């Protein structure tokens, strides 16, 4: 009987499909649970704590609604930290992106020495930033630092970066750029290898063969998706700067290098105000999330022809 | 006619210890359509890249139109090239892809800066000229309606046309093409092949075309340079390569159906395959072992096997291709794995209906399309004669 057999087939197929689905959920469960435990749950907890007056070590707390946020918006330290983070980011990111691209283009066509340069530029990324910060504190030191010695020998004033109100942020930015350039070089090199060889040949035939012309007509437009990615990643990393602040300046002198993440740390674990620190963290998460959304939106637009 | 001749002398290219081109000597005449034909890895693309200037030869010289260009950068060689992958700039419209070589050629760096057109009437005039040239080329290639589209929005054939337009717009004196048709489907390939032939005839530009497809080479070329192992093994018209291959490997490479190879012995000028007399004579050839290469059409199907020089072989497979039919026979008894015989479709029907072609097939060897090679693979310079044809005895087709 054909109808009966087809009905059996159908129910078999349905059973098979539901079993298949169950299996698929089973396989994705570990990843889902891990995501909940390590990402989603902490965010929920932080948002909840930002609405309380909890202090580290206490056993009780009270819900105070948006009180922490009100305190935050009226705190001069918060605004100074936010401004410093913004200035630092605005200074570090464009320079890191341009220098990274510039170095990547220079290295890209080296055949034998390419590996060497890749390693040299990637070393800062691979090294421990805390340890490297100590090296930088020596390099940029006004009394014993080699940079100050060089400047003094040509008659310029000895600059002591980390004890000068106006220079401390620049000193941190130099270290930040030093580290980000290597990171960007690697990403841009990956982007450059994606440009087909035949397109590069065609360009050299069409007269697009000087550095600036290649940059303008070929590399820059073709690397646009990579550049957006690098730009956003750099913004996030610049906003996250902490190690160098903690090691080199402790936010000083006079709060001129107090950044958002450092302020979160000071408030939460220095002053033990977990509730207030959580409110700062929520704002920080919103900012980082905004960067990521911009990146997704831009790369989505690029993907469509 | 503004095509220029190319003279290549003693061109070598080594990559590290491996030698990719082992001394190439080649003269391409003014306005000629020359094809570099060969299997992959034979060095044909490397040679084209040297002509284009993407690579510098290890030694040797290269002249275009009497000017030594061996060490000139690509843009100074007055050449244009069409690539296998089209190599269009993906972020530019089709029109911009075509106009960019002219912009680079006619405008200086500062004149190309944004807004230069507002400040200088000269720049405006040059840009108008460029637009006119682009329109002219687009009209030639039927691209007018596509100029605003990005390459991703174009079909393979349209992209290829844009690539040709980009090459053509600069009025090159040499046109290089690196397997431009291999990414297209069969029908489009035939259409674009005809368009390329027309383009060559119309412009009179010297064409150097690279392909591994012998059919394409035969269809398009004035001359073909067949390359194997980094050397040009034979250079001549398609007819010469097909009709008088200099080496067995050339005979194998040229021709649609694989060429039949039979080991033969020559004794007193008579050719034998094993114990069988083939009815062919090779006057003036010393006795010994040779290889006889026979085109599929050099074998003539006959009704009976009762004469000398007529072979009977078991039929393994019959392949229809419209007007011609290729019968593949097992050739073990004459020392070859397969023997392929090409016969017209109507002749095949006649033989089948008269019961002379079924499990076995009888045929004899004609003298035309048959080549004798030494065991080393070199062609024996001898004209083969067929006894039957010489005596004027033709087989009457009795059906």
């Amino acid at each position: 009987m054909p109808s009966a057999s087809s009905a059996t087939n159908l129910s078999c197929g349905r059973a098979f499909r539901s079993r298949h689905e169950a299996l698929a959920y089973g396989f994705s469960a570990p990843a889902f649970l891990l995501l909940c435990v390590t990402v989603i749950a902490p965010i929920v907890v932080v948002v909840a704590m930002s609405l309380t007056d909890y202090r580290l070590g206490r056993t009780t707390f009270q819900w105070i609604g948006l009180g922490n946020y009100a305190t935050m918006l009226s705190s001069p330290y918060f605004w100074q930290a936010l401004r410093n983070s913004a200035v630092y980011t605005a200074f570090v990111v464009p320079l890191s992106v341009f220098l990274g691209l510039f170095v990547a283009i220079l290295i890209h066509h080296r055949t034998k020495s390419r590996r060497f340069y890749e390693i040299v530029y990637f070393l800062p990324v691979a090294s421990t930033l805390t340890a490297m910060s100590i090296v930088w504190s020596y390099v940029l030191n006004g009394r014993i630092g080699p940079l100050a010695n060089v400047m003094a020998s040509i008659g310029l004033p000895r600059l002591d970066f980390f004890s000068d109100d106006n220079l401390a942020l620049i000193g941190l930015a130099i270290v930040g750029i030093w580290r980000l350039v290597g990171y960007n070089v690697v990403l841009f090199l990956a982007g450059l290898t994606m440009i087909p060889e035949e397109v590069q040949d065609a360009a050299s035939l069409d007269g697009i063969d000087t550095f600036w012309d290649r940059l303008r007509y070929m590399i820059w437009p073709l690397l646009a998706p990579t550049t957006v990615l690098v730009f956003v990643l750099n913004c996030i990393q610049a906003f996250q700067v902490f190690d160098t602040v903690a090691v080199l300046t402790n936010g000083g002198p006079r709060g001129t290098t107090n950044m958002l993440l450092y302020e979160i740390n000071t408030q939460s674990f220095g002053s033990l105000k977990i509730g207030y620190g959580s409110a700062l963290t929520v704002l920080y998460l919103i900012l980082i999330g905004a960067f990521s959304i911009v990146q997704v939106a831009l790369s989505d637009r690029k993907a469509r022809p | 006619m503004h095509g220029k001749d190319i003279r290549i002398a003693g061109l070598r290219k080594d990559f590290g210890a491996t030698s990719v081109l082992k001394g190439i000597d080649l003269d391409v005449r003014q306005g000629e359509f020359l094809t570099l034909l060969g299997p992959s890895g034979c060095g044909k693309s490397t040679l084209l890249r040297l002509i284009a200037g993407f690579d510098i030869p290890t030694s040797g010289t290269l002249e275009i139109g009497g000017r030594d260009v061996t060490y000139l950068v690509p843009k100074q060689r007055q050449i244009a090239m069409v690539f296998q992958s089209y190599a269009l700039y993906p972020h530019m419209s089709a029109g911009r892809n075509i106009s960019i070589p002219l912009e680079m050629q006619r405008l200086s760096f500062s004149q190309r800066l944004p807004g230069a057109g507002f400040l200088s009437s000269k720049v405006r005039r040059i840009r108008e000229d460029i637009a006119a040239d682009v329109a002219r080329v687009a009209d030639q290639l039927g691209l007018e309606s596509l100029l605003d589209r990005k390459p991703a929005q174009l079909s393979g054939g349209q992209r290829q046309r844009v690539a040709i337009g980009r090459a053509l717009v600069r009025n090159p004196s040499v046109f290089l093409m690196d397997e431009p048709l291999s990414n297209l489907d069969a029908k489009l390939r035939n259409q674009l092949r005809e368009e390329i032939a027309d383009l060559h005839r119309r412009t009179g530009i010297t064409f150097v075309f690279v392909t591994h497809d012998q059919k394409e080479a035969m269809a398009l070329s004035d001359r073909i340079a067949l390359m194997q192992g980094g050397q040009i093994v034979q250079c001549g018209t398609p007819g010469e390569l097909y009709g008088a291959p200099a080496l067995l490997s050339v005979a194998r490479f040229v021709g649609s159906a694989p060429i039949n190879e039979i080991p033969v012995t020559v004794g007193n000028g008579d050719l034998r395959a094993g114990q069988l007399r083939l009815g062919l004579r090779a006057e003036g050839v010393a006795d010994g072992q040779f290889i006889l290469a026979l085109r599929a059409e050099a074998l003539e199907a006959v009704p009976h096997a009762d004469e000398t020089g007529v072979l009977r072989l078991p039929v393994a497979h019959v392949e229809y291709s419209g007007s011609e039919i290729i019968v593949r026979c097992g050739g073990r008894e004459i020392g070859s794995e397969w023997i392929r015989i090409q016969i017209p479709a109507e002749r095949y029907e006649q033989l089948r209906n008269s019961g002379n072609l079924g499990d076995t097939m009888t045929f004899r060897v004609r003298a035309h399309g048959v080549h004798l090679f030494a065991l080393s693979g070199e062609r024996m310079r001898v004209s083969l004669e067929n006894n039957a044809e010489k005596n004027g005895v033709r087989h009457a087709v009795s059906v």
Side-chain angles (χ1 to χ4, degrees), chain A residues 103-119 189 193 197 200, chain B residues 13 15-16 49 54-55:
Chain A
V103 171
I105 294 170
L106 290 184
I107 293 178
H108 185 55
H109 281 290
R110 307 274 95 208
T111 44
K112 294 203 183 86
S113 52
R114 178 173 163 162
R115 189 64 53 191
F116 169 77
Y117 285 115
E118 277 175 357
I119 292 170
L189 277 176
T193 28
E197 191 121 342
Q200 299 188 37
Chain B
K13 179 69 185 174
F15 289 108
R49 289 180 60 83
F54 302 140
D55 278 323

Side-chain angles (χ1 to χ4, degrees), chain B residues 265-272 281 285-288:
Chain B
T265 50
V266 174
N268 289 328
D270 276 327
L271 267 68
R272 283 169 190 273
R281 284 193 60 77
V285 174
D287 294 358

Side-chain angles (χ1 to χ4, degrees), chain B residues 223-244:
Chain B
R223 281 194 307 154
I224 298 173
L226 193 99
M227 294 185 68
Q228 278 166 355
Q231 282 169 317
I232 293 178
V233 290
Q234 190 172 3
C235 184
T237 63
E240 281 167 14
L241 253 71
Y242 189 80

Side-chain angles (χ1 to χ4, degrees), chain A residues 198-199 201-209 212-213 216-217 221-222, chain B residues 49 54 75 81 83 85 87 89-92 96 104 109 112 166 170:
Chain A
E198 288 200 334
V199 172
D201 286 343
S204 70
L205 202 61
D206 289 340
I208 307 175
D209 56 359
W212 291 112
D213 285 338
R216 176 175 163 196
Y217 293 105
L222 289 178
Chain B
R49 289 180 60 83
F54 302 140
K75 69 169 175 182
M81 182 153 168
F83 297 84
S85 66
Y89 307 117
H91 54 290
M92 295 180 187
R96 191 82 203 286
M104 302 309 294
F109 184 80
R112 275 185 277 113
R166 179 176 67 179
R170 283 185 300 153

Side-chain angles (χ1 to χ4, degrees), chain B residues 88-375:
Chain B
L88 295 175
Y89 307 117
H91 54 290
M92 295 180 187
S93 68
R96 191 82 203 286
N97 262 289
I98 298 176
S99 73
I100 194 91
L102 295 183
E103 289 178 36
M104 302 309 294
Q105 207 173 46
R106 297 182 192 172
L107 294 165
S108 71
F109 184 80
S110 57
Q111 285 174 325
R112 275 185 277 113
L113 289 175
F118 291 107
L119 302 174
S120 153
S121 61
K122 193 176 154 208
V123 172
R124 269 202 301 282
R125 210 164 48 245
I126 296 173
R127 286 214 177 264
E128 278 163 21
D129 286 349
I130 291 174
D133 284 346
V134 171
R136 181 176 49 79
V137 168
D139 179 52
Q140 258 182 49
L141 296 166
L143 290 169
E144 304 96 325
S145 59
L146 305 172
L147 290 180
D148 291 332
R149 296 207 197 157
K150 292 272 174 70
Q153 296 164 292
L154 299 172
S155 71
Q158 290 168 337
R159 279 182 221 177
Q160 191 57 279
R161 273 201 202 99
V162 174
I164 292 173
R166 179 176 67 179
L168 209 58
V169 76
R170 283 185 300 153
N171 273 323
S173 40
V174 173
F175 210 132
L176 308 178
M177 297 187 140
D178 189 5
E179 311 226 5
L181 304 177
S182 57
N183 283 357
L184 302 170
D185 64 64
K187 202 160 191 174
L188 206 54
R189 198 173 337 180
N190 283 339
Q191 190 194 332
L192 268 161
R193 198 164 75 191
E194 286 176 4
E195 283 181 26
I196 289 174
D198 290 343
L199 187 70
H200 172 245
R201 200 170 308 117
R202 202 169 57 229
T203 57
I205 302 171
T206 310
F207 272 53
V208 180
F209 188 94
V210 162
T211 184
H212 63 268
D213 181 351
Q214 57 87 28
K215 208 172 141 202
E216 216 167 272
M218 300 286 242
L220 283 167
S221 318
D222 293 324
R223 281 194 307 154
I224 298 173
L226 193 99
M227 294 185 68
Q228 278 166 355
Q231 282 169 317
I232 293 178
V233 290
Q234 190 172 3
C235 184
T237 63
E240 281 167 14
L241 253 71
Y242 189 80
L247 296 170
L248 182 57
S249 56
V250 174
R252 280 184 192 144
F253 199 80
V254 178
S256 302
I259 199 161
N260 298 305
E261 292 170 38
I262 307 175
V264 292
T265 50
V266 174
N268 289 328
D270 276 327
L271 267 68
R272 283 169 190 273
Q275 294 308 308
L276 269 164
R277 289 179 61 143
L278 294 171
L280 285 178
R281 284 193 60 77
E283 294 295 347
V285 174
D287 294 358
Q289 303 269 340
F290 296 92
I291 292 169
L292 192 68
L294 312 106
R295 294 277 176 214
E297 71 271 16
L299 299 169
E300 185 183 24
V302 293
H304 308 292
D306 50 5
E307 293 169 65
T308 56
V310 175
L311 307 174
R312 179 188 289 278
L313 292 176
V315 173
H317 180 69
V318 178
E319 195 176 281
Y320 292 85
S321 66
S323 63
E324 300 290 325
I325 281 170
I326 292 188
V327 182
R328 179 154 55 95
C329 297
R332 201 141 295 181
E333 63 181 283
I334 52 171
S336 168
E337 194 181 3
W338 304 111
I339 297 291
R340 291 178 179 82
I341 302 148
Q342 183 183 322
I343 51 174
E346 47 190 292
R347 178 95 176 105
Y348 175 78
E349 288 301 324
Q350 278 177 358
L351 288 168
R352 265 194 80 87
N353 294 338
S354 64
N356 288 310
L357 201 162
D359 293 343
T360 62
M361 179 175 184
T362 48
F363 61 91
R364 65 185 192 90
V365 178
R366 298 198 306 184
H368 190 76
V370 176
H371 314 284
L372 193 63
F373 294 96
L375 292 180

